[in-house]
């Protein structure tokens, strides 16, 4: 019972953040939707169905589920945000080990995201 509530809460929270990403230019939508799509079936089959059938979110989730594809705009936005985050760490004078560790992690994450197939021009980020 508690785990259902936790999964449902995670799914709803990620949907809210993903929806914010449709309006706010620097908030990514795709990663939050992927987390919501993972959590929703564990907490609420009805919510999972709503996500799959949603006209805006459904195509992104379908592209990921069936081809591990990410919309091109989402990929480049993710890379830009990773670079910006690292640049901010550098500007505030973070220690060299922090810069090296986050830089390596960001390169791995960015490389993974950028090498996913394109989801197509119609899929929203």
């Amino acid at each position: 019972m508690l785990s259902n509530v936790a999964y449902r809460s995670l799914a709803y929270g990620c949907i809210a953040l993903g929806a914010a990403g449709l309006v706010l230019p620097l908030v990514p939508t795709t990663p939050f939707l992927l987390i919501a799509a993972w959590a929703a079936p564990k907490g609420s089959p009805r919510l999972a169905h709503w996500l799959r059938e949603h006209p805006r979110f459904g195509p992104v989730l379908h592209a990921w589920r069936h081809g591990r594809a990410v919309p091109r705009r989402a990929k480049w936005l993710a890379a830009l945000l990773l670079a910006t985050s690292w640049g901010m760490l550098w500007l505030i004078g973070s220690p060299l080990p922090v810069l090296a560790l986050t830089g390596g992690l960001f390169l791995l994450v960015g490389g993974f995201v950028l090498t996913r197939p394109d989801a197509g021009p119609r899929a929203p980020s």
Side-chain angles (χ1 to χ4, degrees):
M1 177 66 175
L2 181 60
S3 67
N4 283 351
V5 172
Y7 282 121
R8 192 176 314 130
S9 298
L10 177 62
Y12 276 114
C14 287
I15 290 168
L17 290 170
L22 294 174
V23 181
L24 301 173
L26 293 180
V27 178
T29 299
T30 304
F32 292 119
L33 288 181
L34 295 177
I35 294 169
W38 170 79
K42 295 168 177 41
S44 171
R46 186 174 66 159
L47 177 60
H49 179 266
W50 178 82
L51 273 172
R52 282 191 308 271
E53 300 302 319
H54 192 276
R56 184 85 172 168
F57 301 146
V60 173
L61 298 173
H62 178 79
W64 179 256
R65 186 172 293 119
H66 296 288
R68 294 296 187 242
V70 176
R72 183 176 296 159
R73 180 175 176 263
K75 291 195 285 187
W76 290 107
L77 183 60
L80 176 66
L81 290 173
L82 288 168
T84 301
S85 297
W86 190 88
M88 290 175 72
L89 287 172
W90 177 73
L91 283 174
I92 64 170
S94 294
L96 186 57
V98 170
L99 292 174
L101 183 65
T102 56
L105 179 65
F106 288 0
L107 284 172
L108 289 172
V109 169
F112 175 80
V113 170
L114 290 173
T115 58
R116 300 306 93 199
D118 286 342
R122 295 188 50 114
S125 67

